[in-house]
């Protein structure tokens, strides 16, 4: 079974940092796009960041640009989300996601869309207090 397992969430204060990890198993995602999404209570799941292997492209939601960094260690089949300068509005369950196949699109909108991703983790809670 393909599994994506997030870890690294927790309760922090505004301005603190966290690094989320997403470890994949069941298949390799070394050539697949991987992304991070988040969902706050009562909100739709929204895009946070994504990484496309080909071209080494990364994409970020405007709300996290300059604060969050997505990276990956393909040898470990793991993707990370470094979150700095956390704000209370960052509070959400964070989900990692992965494509089931390699894609080569240059359209950034493709990699920011939930529908692009076929595998999802169970999420890790990030709570940022004031």
């Amino acid at each position: 079974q393909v599994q994506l397992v997030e870890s690294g969430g927790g309760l922090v204060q505004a301005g603190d940092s966290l690094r989320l990890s997403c470890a994949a198993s069941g298949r390799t995602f070394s050539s697949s796009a991987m992304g991070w999404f988040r969902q706050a209570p009562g909100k739709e799941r929204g895009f946070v960041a994504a990484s496309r292997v080909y071209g080494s492209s990364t994409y970020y939601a405007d709300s996290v640009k300059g604060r969050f960094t997505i990276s990956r260690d393909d040898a470990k089949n793991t993707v990370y989300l470094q979150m700095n300068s956390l704000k209370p509005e960052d509070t959400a369950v964070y989900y990692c996601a992965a494509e089931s196949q390699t894609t080569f699109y240059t359209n950034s909108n493709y990699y920011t869309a939930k529908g692009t991703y076929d595998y999802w983790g169970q999420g890790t809670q990030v709570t940022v207090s004031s």
Side-chain angles (χ1 to χ4, degrees), residues 4-8 18-24 34-37 48-51 58-60 67-84 94-97 124:
L4 303 178
V5 181
E6 302 95 337
S7 62
L18 283 173
R19 190 178 77 157
L20 306 183
S21 299
C22 175
M34 300 189 74
W36 287 95
F37 293 76
V48 176
S51 173
T58 56
Y59 311 92
Y60 297 95
R67 298 190 298 121
F68 291 10
T69 302
I70 187 170
S71 62
R72 59 201 297 164
D73 184 343
D74 289 323
K76 295 182 178 180
N77 217 21
T78 299
V79 64
Y80 304 94
L81 184 68
Q82 178 67 45
M83 305 186 294
N84 298 327
Y94 283 71
Y95 300 88
C96 65
T124 184

Side-chain angles (χ1 to χ4, degrees), residues 22-101:
C22 175
S25 62
R27 59 154 288 177
T28 180
F29 292 94
S30 61
S31 298
S32 301
M34 300 189 74
W36 287 95
F37 293 76
R38 65 187 181 186
Q39 187 167 19
K43 301 289 185 65
E44 297 291 329
R45 189 173 300 186
F47 170 75
V48 176
S51 173
R52 180 175 69 90
V53 173
Y54 286 87
S56 299
S57 299
T58 56
Y59 311 92
Y60 297 95
D62 288 342
S63 59
V64 305
K65 285 181 179 178
R67 298 190 298 121
F68 291 10
T69 302
I70 187 170
S71 62
R72 59 201 297 164
D73 184 343
D74 289 323
K76 295 182 178 180
N77 217 21
T78 299
V79 64
Y80 304 94
L81 184 68
Q82 178 67 45
M83 305 186 294
N84 298 327
S85 301
L86 283 163
K87 304 174 181 179
E89 51 263 44
D90 294 319
T91 295
V93 176
Y94 283 71
Y95 300 88
C96 65
E99 290 182 307
S100 62
Q101 62 184 0

Side-chain angles (χ1 to χ4, degrees), residues 33 52-55 57 59 99 101-111 116:
R52 180 175 69 90
V53 173
Y54 286 87
S57 299
Y59 311 92
E99 290 182 307
Q101 62 184 0
T102 302
T103 59
F104 311 96
Y105 298 105
T106 57
N107 183 359
S108 62
N109 290 334
Y110 181 82
Y111 296 100
T116 291

